Amino acid sequence: MEEKDKVCPACQHKTKKRSDKERRSLINRLSRIEGQVRGIRRMVENDVYCPEILIQVSAVNAALNSFNKALLAEHIRTCVAADIREGDEAAIDELVLVLQKLMK
């Protein structure tokens, strides 16, 4: 069974083996975002003026969008490209569905 075809036995979803570099990069981005969200919570707890909080929320949204772009680019370069090379046209439908969900 090829790596892309492996399925998580607990939830029956596909899994993807990531390189250490890719995993570290994604986790670092998420850690920064997590820190930003904790900062926003502290701002609310400390009664910071609304516009300042809204600006920080906007920064978190931008960071999440950047995370999505990086993850999507890697997905297209690896998973989708490999599936297409192997003749799996369903990968295109899956990608279109993901893009539709991201663009809501």
Side-chain angles (χ1 to χ4, degrees):
M1 184 182 298
E2 290 187 29
E3 187 173 297
K4 69 175 183 59
D5 293 328
K6 291 184 180 176
V7 176
C8 171
C11 62
Q12 299 300 308
H13 288 99
K14 290 182 180 180
T15 60
K16 180 188 187 294
K17 182 71 175 163
R18 291 180 173 80
S19 70
D20 287 339
K21 180 180 177 185
E22 179 187 1
R23 183 180 300 107
R24 270 193 315 274
S25 175
L26 292 172
I27 289 173
N28 286 342
R29 283 175 179 261
L30 290 172
S31 294
R32 284 192 299 273
I33 293 166
E34 184 179 22
Q36 287 176 291
V37 172
R38 281 194 307 271
I40 293 169
R41 180 183 176 142
R42 282 190 301 275
M43 292 173 82
V44 171
E45 291 170 346
N46 295 324
D47 296 325
V48 171
Y49 191 51
C50 299
E52 293 178 33
I53 296 170
L54 291 168
I55 289 168
Q56 291 306 308
V57 170
S58 179
V60 169
N61 284 331
L64 283 168
N65 284 336
S66 179
F67 176 86
N68 272 350
K69 288 176 194 174
L71 186 60
L72 180 61
E74 184 64 20
H75 177 62
I76 292 169
R77 284 188 198 104
T78 57
C79 303
V80 176
D83 286 347
I84 290 171
R85 278 192 294 272
E86 293 171 10
D88 182 2
E89 297 291 321
I92 295 170
D93 295 333
E94 180 185 60
L95 178 60
V96 169
L97 182 62
V98 167
L99 290 172
Q100 288 172 340
K101 289 179 180 182
L102 289 174
M103 296 174 136
K104 281 186 177 179

